[in-house]
Amino acid sequence: GAVVSQHPSWVICKSGTSVKIECRSLDFQATTMFWYRQFPKQSLMLMATSNEGSKATYEQGVEKDKFLINHASLTLSTLTVTSAHPEDSSFYICSAQTGMAGELFFGEGSRLTVL
Amino acid sequence: DQQVKQNSPSLSVQEGRISILNCDYTNSMFDYFLWYKKYPAEGPTFLISISSIKDKNEDGRFTVFLNKSAKHLSLHIVPSQPGDSAVYFCAARPLGATNKLIFGTGTLLAVQP
């Protein structure tokens, strides 16, 4: 199947700093990528839908100024957690779809810990 | 409001037996349901899906059943293997929202050798 890779897989940062997480589709072009957040023992919550070349669409309750999403190319979307706080500590997962209605493939996730 | 629910946070099954994972949903406007498998510190991997117009889909050891009147779906794994031990998420796709999935809370399956 297609491969989606996230980097970094884990990151520890100080409160107030910004952290960038990359999501790459390695062997296919993804016009749409999705960013999820997972708290311990909870479901994956969709944060935003990222479309190449346009602004991301955020889910209700997700602060777009805090979670900046950039989908600059057909193979790369980035999530930047700005001015991170301990409550932002979570597991962030991206997914990418092949084509307009293709199968979804998930990245391996990025564990963010904010001290 | 949790639209997709997996009421059993964990399930333990003996190797070779059947594993049944359950999922309930509240929204009638879902047109597609999927099951994903997830290992710790990894992203989910697609397992099997079913369209809302069907009531059963089978793929090898995995079978998904959909009961629309009860708004319930289940994943059957038979025979269960130790390598099946993982967290299983069911997900539902709202009608017209391609790949905008709503996930359940997951069920941790432990298959005992």
Side-chain angles (χ1 to χ4, degrees):
Chain A
V3 177
V4 176
S5 178
Q6 281 183 242
H7 178 80
S9 55
W10 59 270
V11 57
I12 301 173
C13 70
K14 291 182 178 180
S15 185
T17 60
S18 294
V19 175
K20 180 185 284 188
I21 301 170
E22 294 184 347
C23 177
R24 294 182 184 271
S25 55
L26 297 186
D27 49 2
F28 68 99
Q29 293 184 330
T31 54
T32 304
M33 292 183 173
F34 302 87
W35 286 95
Y36 293 83
R37 181 175 181 177
Q38 185 188 21
F39 292 104
K41 298 184 181 179
Q42 294 191 25
S43 63
L44 282 72
M45 302 297 296
L46 179 64
M47 298 175 66
T49 302
S50 168
N51 294 296
E52 187 269 335
S54 63
K55 290 183 178 180
T57 302
Y58 290 81
E59 294 300 302
Q60 192 173 12
V62 178
E63 299 176 60
K64 60 181 180 181
D65 294 330
K66 177 152 189 73
F67 299 99
L68 300 179
I69 292 173
N70 187 332
H71 194 151
S73 76
L74 287 171
T75 59
L76 173 64
S77 176
T78 60
L79 167 68
T80 301
V81 183
T82 63
S83 187
H85 291 285
E87 58 264 30
D88 299 325
S89 300
S90 192
F91 193 57
Y92 293 88
I93 305 176
C94 72
S95 68
Q97 68 180 39
T98 57
M100 291 300 291
E103 186 177 343
L104 265 187
F105 295 93
F106 285 81
E108 60 271 66
S110 300
R111 169 76 60 192
L112 170 63
T113 301
V114 184
L115 302 177
Chain B
D1 178 32
Q2 189 70 32
Q3 297 185 62
V4 180
K5 300 178 184 179
Q6 292 175 256
N7 292 317
S8 297
S10 64
L11 174 68
S12 182
V13 172
Q14 284 293 119
E15 180 178 6
R17 298 289 183 97
I18 184 172
S19 295
I20 300 177
L21 298 109
N22 294 303
C23 180
D24 297 293
Y25 60 96
T26 57
N27 189 340
S28 299
M29 299 305 288
F30 293 132
D31 68 346
Y32 221 76
F33 300 91
L34 307 90
W35 283 95
Y36 285 84
K37 178 180 179 180
K38 183 180 181 299
Y39 294 112
E42 293 184 14
T45 54
F46 171 74
L47 203 54
I48 191 170
S49 64
I50 187 168
S51 165
S52 61
I53 63 173
K54 296 193 174 183
D55 55 19
K56 178 183 175 181
N57 187 27
E58 189 173 353
D59 183 4
R61 297 186 297 115
F62 303 92
T63 303
V64 56
F65 295 92
L66 175 62
N67 182 334
K68 280 188 294 183
S69 61
K71 293 190 176 68
H72 177 84
L73 68 155
S74 60
L75 173 67
H76 293 212
I77 306 173
V78 57
S80 301
Q81 300 173 354
D84 295 329
S85 298
V87 176
Y88 289 78
F89 289 96
C90 69
R93 188 180 76 184
L95 181 66
T98 306
N99 279 333
K100 185 176 175 178
L101 301 178
I102 298 175
F103 283 85
T105 49
T107 297
L108 174 61
L109 173 66
V111 180
Q112 310 295 335

